[in-house]
Amino acid sequence: MSYTLVLTIIGIVLMSIGIIFNLNPKKVNKALNQNIHLEAENTAASLRTVIGSLAFTIGFIAFASRSLPENSANTILYASTVGFIITAITIISSKFRGFDKKICPGYSIFLLLSLLAVWIIF
């Protein structure tokens, strides 16, 4: 598998998440946390759109980096991998820190993207 394909996959996955989070953030919130309080629904939706925009931005950077020379593309993949791992750890730690009762399954996406990127880097 080439770095071009990996950057394409990462880009499409993250841009898709960004679009979904922005199209219907309240539905995403309900899917991730069915017991969300009515008072928190709009605030959570607002934060979900920000998260979606950031995911889209990172995905677009990866997608646009497909045509870079291999050395530069590997630098993007390395930086993305570190960021994905930190994101996954942050999501998982939210349960242990008492922020959420269950772990959002989204961390698995970041771990899979990390593994994909590491496979190409090394």
Side-chain angles (χ1 to χ4, degrees):
M1 187 177 305
S2 71
Y3 69 90
T4 304
L5 181 59
V6 171
L7 286 168
T8 302
I9 292 168
I10 289 171
I12 289 172
V13 168
L14 290 177
M15 288 189 296
S16 298
I17 290 170
I19 290 168
I20 291 167
F21 276 30
N22 274 284
L23 284 179
N24 201 342
K26 288 186 178 184
K27 188 173 183 179
V28 172
N29 283 334
K30 290 287 185 186
L32 296 175
N33 186 357
Q34 292 138 0
N35 299 323
I36 192 166
H37 294 286
L38 189 58
E39 303 87 31
E41 190 172 337
N42 287 333
T43 301
S46 175
L47 293 172
R48 193 70 60 201
T49 59
V50 172
I51 293 167
S53 295
L54 290 171
F56 188 90
T57 300
I58 295 167
F60 189 78
I61 290 169
F63 193 77
S65 298
R66 297 172 303 146
S67 61
L68 290 175
E70 186 172 356
N71 191 30
S72 299
N74 280 337
T75 301
I76 299 271
L77 286 172
Y78 175 72
S80 298
T81 301
V82 171
F84 295 151
I85 292 170
I86 290 169
T87 301
I89 289 169
T90 302
I91 292 169
I92 293 168
S93 74
S94 67
K95 176 179 176 147
F96 302 109
R97 295 170 66 190
F99 300 150
D100 204 351
K101 293 179 183 168
K102 63 178 184 171
I103 297 176
C104 168
Y107 75 92
S108 59
I109 292 171
F110 292 106
L111 290 178
L112 289 173
L113 293 177
S114 297
L115 291 173
L116 188 62
V118 166
W119 183 31
I120 293 300
I121 294 169
F122 300 107

